[in-house]
Amino acid sequence: MRKKIVAGNWKCNTNLQEGIELAKSVNELVAKKAADDVVVVLGVPFTHLTNVVESVNTERIGVAAQNCAAEADGAFTGEVSASMVKSTGATYVILGHSERREYYGETSEVLNKKLALALENGLTPIYCCGEPLEVREADVQNDYVKKQLEETIFKLPESDFRKLVIAYEPIWAIGTGKTATAGQAQEIHEFIRSIIAEKFGKEVAEETSILYGGSAKPGNAKELFGNKDVDGGLIGGAALKAEDFLGIINGF
Ligand code: PEP
């Protein structure tokens, strides 16, 4: 059965001390109050990885980087490689977030290099896809997302594809307070699962966790996660408050 996953994306928020406190709070709440069948992941800044790994029960909570370099190593000042991420004890990496695509020019070509390195180093990629507002308004979001997948993760061999988690994140809903309706989320998640089935077969499609991201909060998590093809969430703003994050984890 595919996994239910709630992953936080802290983005460029919290200094190290604040991050450790937040991780400890999440750790405590998850240990006491979270449903056991939900995988919990914290996507934290690079500077926090080692400390967050040390601050949580990593048997229960996975730690993710929010990016990794497109090169294995070498003269790439400021970059952090997949093997460096792995060496901290983190086990996931968020790749292809729309903010990275938009502000840092991450193309499918760059993402393919990052995906390969993440997988080579045993990290689980949380691969993000999703359309901007004008695409949604033109009602061509399925074509847009299909192209994103075809240019990247659909090029992977099936054995690698099986290791990924997908996060569908409509850009117009990220950090805007505007959430996709449960119906909109289900419709596109079902579409994504159907094209995975066409590409890799029904069994792979049924096993792939597809998360929703975009202004999810405790108040709307139940409605979103109640859909049969929504397997959890990638959570930005609401992941910065331990109680809210727990509310989302318990939203199934
Ligand atoms: C995100 O950044 O992945 C995200 C979903 O952000 P928010 O929950 O704040 O919309």
Side-chain angles (χ1 to χ4, degrees), residues 230-248:
V230 179
D231 306 310
L234 181 56
I235 315 300
L240 293 169
K241 291 200 181 118
E243 290 280 358
D244 285 357
F245 192 52
L246 177 76
I248 296 173

Side-chain angles (χ1 to χ4, degrees), residues 7-11 94 97-99 128 167-171 173-178 212-217 233-239 248:
N9 175 13
W10 293 1
K11 311 193 188 196
I94 299 169
H97 192 282
S98 58
E99 287 154 14
C128 305
Y168 164 70
E169 301 204 301
I171 298 169
I174 297 180
T176 57
K178 207 173 164 182
Y212 167 81
S215 299
K217 32 189 182 285
L234 181 56
I235 315 300
I248 296 173

Side-chain angles (χ1 to χ4, degrees), residues 1-228:
M1 223 176 63
R2 61 180 178 260
K3 289 180 185 147
K4 296 176 189 172
I5 303 172
V6 174
N9 175 13
W10 293 1
K11 311 193 188 196
C12 188
N13 291 301
T14 71
N15 66 26
L16 179 59
Q17 290 71 31
E18 291 162 348
I20 292 170
E21 283 316 304
L22 177 57
K24 285 184 178 166
S25 303
V26 171
N27 188 54
E28 206 178 308
L29 286 177
V30 166
K32 285 191 192 144
K33 298 186 183 169
D36 285 341
D37 63 342
V38 181
V39 174
V40 178
V41 179
L42 297 179
V44 308
F46 286 133
T47 45
H48 300 21
L49 285 170
T50 307
N51 298 78
V52 170
V53 165
E54 284 167 2
S55 303
V56 301
N57 170 12
T58 51
E59 302 274 296
R60 180 67 189 89
I61 298 179
V63 180
Q66 299 168 20
N67 181 28
C68 70
E71 308 295 335
D73 53 26
F76 302 102
T77 303
E79 289 293 280
V80 177
S81 71
S83 73
M84 291 173 192
V85 170
K86 181 71 180 177
S87 70
T88 66
T91 50
Y92 292 81
V93 59
I94 299 169
L95 289 176
H97 192 282
S98 58
E99 287 154 14
R100 296 217 53 89
R101 294 183 193 251
E102 187 177 344
Y103 307 139
Y104 302 98
E106 286 196 1
T107 59
S108 294
E109 198 185 350
V110 168
L111 280 173
N112 286 336
K113 289 187 182 181
K114 295 186 176 195
L115 281 162
L117 287 162
L119 288 160
E120 256 172 50
N121 283 283
L123 295 169
T124 299
I126 300 175
Y127 172 84
C128 305
C129 58
E131 79 287 352
L133 184 60
E134 63 274 17
V135 168
R136 173 62 65 164
E137 283 174 346
D139 198 22
V140 287
Q141 61 277 3
N142 288 6
D143 295 342
Y144 187 93
V145 169
K146 187 176 185 200
K147 186 164 179 285
Q148 286 183 318
L149 303 191
E150 282 176 344
E151 288 178 358
T152 56
I153 53 175
F154 279 8
K155 294 189 170 186
L156 291 169
E158 183 190 311
S159 55
D160 280 340
F161 183 87
R162 282 175 178 273
K163 296 174 187 157
L164 308 166
V165 174
I166 296 176
Y168 164 70
E169 301 204 301
I171 298 169
W172 46 272
I174 297 180
T176 57
K178 207 173 164 182
T179 319
T181 63
Q184 284 172 324
Q186 169 55 25
E187 192 174 65
I188 193 152
H189 280 231
E190 190 175 347
F191 171 73
I192 292 170
R193 203 175 304 287
S194 76
I195 58 174
I196 297 170
E198 277 168 29
K199 174 73 189 164
F200 294 107
K202 199 164 181 330
E203 193 257 328
V204 176
E206 285 303 318
E207 288 299 310
T208 304
S209 296
I210 307 175
L211 316 184
Y212 167 81
S215 299
K217 32 189 182 285
N220 59 25
K222 260 200 171 47
E223 207 188 333
L224 288 162
F225 299 170
N227 290 296
K228 77 174 172 46

